[in-house]
Amino acid sequence: MRAFTRKPEFKLVVIVVSLLSALLSSAWSMSNMVYGEVKFVASVSGCERYLVVNSSSPHSALSSALLNYVEELPSVKELYPQCELEVAAERGGLYTTTLRIVEDLEGFIGFLCPKALKLGGLEGGGVVVGCILAEALNISPGDTLTLLIDGGLVRLPVTGVVKCYQQVDAEVLMEFEVARDIGLNLSVTSILLEADKSFNPSLVEESFRGVDVLRMRDVDAFLSSVGGQLTSIVDLWSLAIYVFLALAAYVVAIKLTSSLRYEVELLRSMGARGPRLVAVALTCFFTASLASSAFGVSLGLVSSQSAVTFMQWVGRSFAAHPHLGVLQALQVVAYSSASFTLGCVAPVVAALRRFEVL
Amino acid sequence: MWRASILAFKLVKGRELVLAVAAFSFSFLFSATTMGLLSLYSSIATSMSGGGGCVVIYDFKSSTPLSGVIPLSTVSLLENLSEPLSPEVLAPCLVDLHVVVVRGVVPSLFYRVSDLKLLEGELLSNGDLETALVGLEVAEELGLKVGDEIILRSIIADRYVKLRVKGVFESSEPLNCEVITPLHVGQWLRGLSYSSITLVRVKAEDPQALSSYLREVLGDGEERFVEAERPKSVSSACPWIEVRPTCAAISSVMAEKFAEKYLNKYGLSTDSLTALSAVVVLLSGVAVYVASSIALEASRFELEVLRAMGGHARSLKLGFLLKALSVATPLAVLGSLSAYAYLQAASSQGFLSILSYSVEVPLNPLIVLLSALLTALLVGLSSLRLDV
């Protein structure tokens, strides 16, 4: 090993491996920083509201067993089974919209938007119309709305108009009781619920196949998707670097091994055989690249932190800082040294053949 | 005779391979880095702006392109413009576990500023309430077709929306990677009232001149009072809109530069990317330099023999240089093309994307040329050391 490190070409191994590892570690640490910034921007606490739907089609009926199961879960605090039907509202023209049927309309509107604006009443045996649909149909409380449901025309009094800044603003709302009175065939197509932190959506999905439990404002899923995109971009670049490192190792190893004839002869005279000499040479390369890449990782981290510190001095502000996870650091060290050593195999074998050792 | 020796000169066997490997690897890394960074940068910079040829009016104080909010009544300040304009809301959402960007628009105004080609179904109309147009890339990724229902879950607000796919479109602009909905759907998903939007796009023949004019009219990021005036063009299509007197910091920028401001905030500028590419050139250039030196040292004996036979030093140097260049330059071009193929493959497999926008990797002839020139320069530099 000492003979190896004394060679002037050894400096090349250290320079190439450490600087490329530094590049990789700074790229990873900066990508972690960007991820941290995204996390900060999206740092609203995840909501504990969920939508339970049929995974094959969002308008397919859910089983009553599922409804009973969810109702009995102690973690569920509030729950609204809904039946959604596609209807056409007629008044001068036809507007395709959704008729949303729920059990407790007042409670449902309050659940969606506690500060909802209401015109007229929400009860009284008729329908409630969302503000956008009401504007489009030029309808107000007290008017009659004609709905085309399953091929049949139904005329219903409009008891109120609501503004929630949500999808119900473009829909017609009705209570189950009214729907039964007019003879609609009802089945629950989705369940909107609020639960505490102990609620486990995957437990429901496992218990009832073909059911999706979708979390509202799912920041975790968003972050994991964005994090995955960042990781795959840095991974692609890392792969290019590792390929380059292996090819650079080939060039450097040719230069270094050509100057090792004396040391090889010495080792052979001491009884070392061909395969053992290959192992010794590769171990030397591996050890040198391992140490160099470990140094490079630290160098990259320090460089990126210095760059960010400098940017803060000139007035930029960041919510996150460059950092490197233990696994990421180990990965850079391991892959760098492995790809470098791999690139050295052919030149080492070729050199030992040339020296007539193999 | 010695002119002939220039052409007859041969590199020592094996050393040609070293030079070829070094030139290929240098060019591959340089091109992969430069092409990748430039493609990423331009994709992000243009992604949320909706496409070129427009001026974007946006919230100057927002920290990301998706989080800006400006009053809808800003549109009323622009109604004396002859150029078509489109008020829009951007909202990041999840469809299953895929991130998609939803653009809420007033259909009749949107079509005047955007270039869409309908592939399937119908276009949105102003009276549509719960329907969506899906860009071709989103449709392919999520397997959507006309008539399908999608559940969009907002990232910003605790709500969801069920929409029916009314049409699938293709666009030469980044809109291909978006879901287009009526304006109110965008406002629901972004958690806004009916009096706020994210941005206004104005189509212009000379975007730069219009952008400068709009900065004079609207201010350049200074806080200003916007009166509650109903924009006629919007209220005729969406009578439910609201207007409120609001203070806002509004500015305008060419569409191509829209996201640059946000990228620069995080230190990602063309300068920093150039610096990174330069670092890569320096590091990987060492390999080519070393490889040339190896080839040179291996050829020293032959060169000295030729010199002893009366060959001119200049001719011999030139011979070495030409031979080295004839090996290194084609391999540098090959390395550059391999990097392009590598990035193309990654992009087509979906490994290169930001939010719902896929990153297009164009073949940049300038980068191919630059990598060949840099390789030639490094080989040339090392041949200068030749002492015969």
Side-chain angles (χ1 to χ4, degrees):
Chain A
M1 186 71 191
R2 194 168 291 172
F4 182 78
T5 53
R6 273 181 192 156
K7 294 284 170 194
E9 292 83 0
F10 175 74
K11 277 183 271 178
L12 275 174
V13 177
V14 177
I15 290 170
V16 169
V17 179
S18 57
L19 291 184
L20 286 172
S21 306
L23 257 186
L24 281 172
S25 82
S26 53
W28 277 111
S29 62
M30 292 306 280
S31 115
N32 288 344
M33 180 183 158
V34 172
Y35 179 74
E37 288 281 337
V38 174
K39 200 170 179 177
F40 177 76
V41 170
S43 62
V44 279
S45 57
C47 170
E48 301 300 331
R49 285 190 176 184
Y50 298 86
L51 178 74
V52 185
V53 285
N54 199 310
S55 52
S56 58
S57 162
H59 269 182
S60 297
L62 296 173
S63 69
S64 53
L66 169 68
L67 182 59
N68 294 336
Y69 175 82
V70 175
E71 266 176 341
E72 282 168 19
L73 287 173
S75 54
V76 174
K77 293 195 286 191
E78 226 171 326
L79 168 136
Y80 291 93
Q82 310 175 82
C83 171
E84 291 142 300
L85 300 173
E86 195 174 286
V87 297
E90 193 262 323
R91 197 176 155 93
L94 273 181
Y95 280 86
T96 304
T97 183
T98 302
L99 171 63
R100 192 178 295 268
I101 305 164
V102 292
E103 198 65 67
D104 167 20
L105 203 48
E106 183 92 46
F108 179 68
I109 299 285
F111 177 76
L112 287 182
C113 179
K115 290 178 183 170
L117 299 170
K118 298 162 202 163
L119 197 62
L122 297 182
E123 287 166 355
V127 291
V128 170
V129 181
C131 63
I132 291 178
L133 184 64
E135 189 81 48
L137 296 171
N138 192 20
I139 215 165
S140 51
D143 290 344
T144 302
L145 178 67
T146 306
L147 293 175
L148 183 66
I149 310 172
D150 289 338
L153 282 177
V154 182
R155 286 175 205 283
L156 292 158
V158 176
T159 57
V161 172
V162 287
K163 183 184 276 186
C164 296
Y165 300 106
Q166 295 196 38
Q167 192 165 15
V168 290
D169 285 0
E171 294 178 341
V172 181
L173 300 158
M174 184 191 276
E175 292 200 335
F176 271 107
E177 195 182 337
V178 180
R180 278 188 213 103
D181 288 347
I182 58 173
L184 289 183
N185 191 12
L186 299 175
S187 52
V188 173
T189 51
S190 65
I191 303 167
L192 190 60
L193 64 91
E194 186 165 295
D196 60 30
K197 290 197 186 301
S198 64
F199 180 70
N200 184 358
S202 48
L203 195 67
V204 180
E205 288 173 338
E206 280 162 21
S207 308
F208 294 87
R209 290 293 155 108
V211 165
D212 281 340
V213 182
L214 307 171
R215 190 180 182 189
M216 305 288 110
R217 204 164 63 189
D218 198 345
V219 178
D220 295 339
F222 172 72
L223 287 175
S224 122
S225 176
V226 171
Q229 288 174 337
L230 277 175
T231 305
S232 74
I233 289 169
V234 184
D235 266 340
L236 278 173
W237 191 58
S238 304
L239 188 59
I241 295 258
Y242 294 133
V243 169
F244 174 79
L245 205 49
L247 296 174
Y250 176 83
V251 174
V252 172
I254 282 184
K255 192 167 171 66
L256 189 54
T257 49
S258 61
S259 64
L260 282 172
R261 178 180 276 275
Y262 172 76
E263 286 80 1
V264 170
E265 290 295 343
L266 190 69
L267 286 170
R268 193 161 63 165
S269 67
M270 290 165 72
R273 284 164 184 260
R276 189 175 171 78
L277 282 172
V278 173
V280 168
L282 289 180
T283 308
C284 287
F285 276 114
F286 181 72
T287 314
S289 57
L290 195 69
S292 308
S293 58
F295 169 69
V297 166
S298 328
L299 186 69
L301 198 54
V302 169
S303 314
S304 50
Q305 280 183 339
S306 309
V308 170
T309 308
F310 176 74
M311 285 168 81
Q312 282 177 325
W313 286 348
V314 295
R316 299 255 170 80
S317 63
F318 300 101
H321 288 273
H323 62 277
L324 211 55
V326 178
L327 278 177
Q328 284 172 324
L330 288 175
Q331 185 183 313
V332 172
V333 171
Y335 288 174
S336 301
S337 40
S339 52
F340 191 87
T341 312
L342 208 63
C344 294
V345 173
V348 165
V349 171
L352 292 178
R353 278 202 182 132
R354 208 167 50 246
F355 301 154
E356 294 169 354
V357 178
L358 279 176
Chain B
M1 177 192 168
W2 295 110
R3 282 186 194 283
S5 76
I6 292 173
L7 301 174
F9 182 84
K10 281 186 178 177
L11 284 175
V12 175
K13 261 189 179 177
R15 295 319 185 231
E16 278 184 355
L17 182 64
V18 176
L19 197 55
V21 166
F24 177 85
S25 56
F26 163 76
S27 175
F28 178 79
L29 184 59
F30 168 71
S31 305
T33 306
T34 321
M35 278 187 205
L37 287 177
L38 285 178
S39 305
L40 267 175
Y41 189 81
S42 67
S43 291
I44 298 172
T46 55
S47 56
M48 279 155 271
S49 64
C54 284
V55 172
V56 177
I57 296 159
Y58 68 104
D59 178 1
F60 187 76
K61 290 193 170 167
S62 57
S63 58
T64 70
L66 295 167
S67 56
V69 178
I70 59 171
L72 180 57
S73 43
T74 307
V75 177
S76 61
L77 301 172
L78 307 166
E79 284 189 319
N80 57 347
L81 285 177
S82 56
E83 287 84 357
L85 56 84
S86 167
E88 296 172 1
V89 177
L90 297 176
C93 293
L94 286 169
V95 177
D96 295 330
L97 292 175
H98 299 268
V99 177
V100 294
V101 173
V102 169
R103 187 178 293 264
V105 300
V106 179
S108 58
L109 301 179
F110 174 69
Y111 300 138
R112 292 170 64 202
V113 299
S114 299
D115 171 31
L116 300 189
K117 183 184 163 197
L118 191 70
L119 298 176
E120 201 187 328
E122 292 172 59
L123 287 175
L124 288 182
S125 61
N126 286 342
D128 280 327
L129 298 174
E130 299 174 304
T131 48
L133 279 184
V134 179
L136 181 63
E137 287 199 24
V138 177
E140 281 176 352
E141 192 185 344
L142 300 174
L144 294 173
K145 54 187 186 302
V146 173
D148 284 353
E149 279 203 322
I150 45 172
I151 296 179
L152 293 158
R153 289 182 289 151
S154 172
I155 306 290
I156 296 172
D158 55 347
R159 58 198 59 171
Y160 74 96
V161 167
K162 264 188 205 179
L163 300 177
R164 189 170 290 282
V165 177
K166 191 175 182 187
V168 177
F169 68 90
E170 191 178 18
S171 171
S172 53
E173 296 166 347
L175 297 169
N176 246 351
C177 310
E178 294 180 0
V179 173
I180 310 294
T181 65
L183 187 71
H184 56 262
V185 176
Q187 287 165 326
W188 297 336
L189 290 167
R190 176 64 184 77
L192 297 177
S193 69
Y194 300 130
S195 63
S196 303
I197 51 175
T198 307
L199 51 88
V200 181
R201 285 195 301 140
V202 187
K203 185 103 175 164
E205 277 183 13
D206 184 357
Q208 196 157 9
L210 181 68
S211 177
S212 310
Y213 168 72
L214 288 174
R215 274 201 293 273
E216 281 173 27
V217 173
L218 301 169
D220 191 11
E222 300 95 21
E223 196 87 20
R224 61 166 290 168
F225 181 74
V226 182
E227 284 186 47
E229 198 176 327
R230 285 179 80 83
K232 285 174 202 150
S233 56
V234 184
S235 60
S236 59
C238 314
W240 50 84
I241 58 160
E242 299 166 345
V243 280
R244 287 177 193 148
T246 322
C247 275
I250 305 167
S251 187
S252 64
V253 68
M254 287 198 296
E256 292 84 353
K257 306 259 177 195
F258 175 53
E260 270 189 15
K261 177 179 99 88
Y262 303 102
L263 287 173
N264 291 346
K265 182 178 180 288
Y266 299 107
L268 289 167
S269 62
T270 42
D271 293 344
S272 61
L273 298 186
T274 310
L276 181 59
S277 299
V279 170
V280 171
V281 168
L282 282 176
L283 291 181
S284 49
V286 171
V288 179
Y289 190 79
V290 170
S292 300
S293 312
I294 294 170
L296 189 147
E297 275 170 26
S299 308
R300 188 176 292 278
F301 176 73
E302 287 84 344
L303 288 166
E304 277 170 4
V305 170
L306 289 169
R307 182 81 177 99
M309 289 166 71
H312 293 292
R314 194 182 291 174
S315 301
L316 292 173
K317 273 187 179 181
L318 192 59
F320 172 80
L321 181 64
L322 285 179
K323 191 66 202 175
L325 286 180
S326 72
V327 173
T329 317
L331 263 296
V333 173
L334 186 67
S336 210
L337 295 176
S338 305
Y340 167 69
Y342 171 65
L343 292 174
Q344 270 294 327
S347 177
S348 63
Q349 293 299 311
F351 290 116
L352 274 177
S353 56
I354 302 288
L355 296 177
S356 60
Y357 302 100
S358 57
V359 176
E360 298 291 327
V361 186
L363 177 61
N364 192 334
L366 195 67
I367 293 174
V368 179
L369 186 69
L370 197 59
S371 74
L373 282 176
L374 283 170
T375 310
L377 185 71
L378 288 164
V379 171
L381 278 176
S382 63
S383 70
L384 281 180
R385 289 176 55 210
L386 191 61
D387 181 23
V388 279

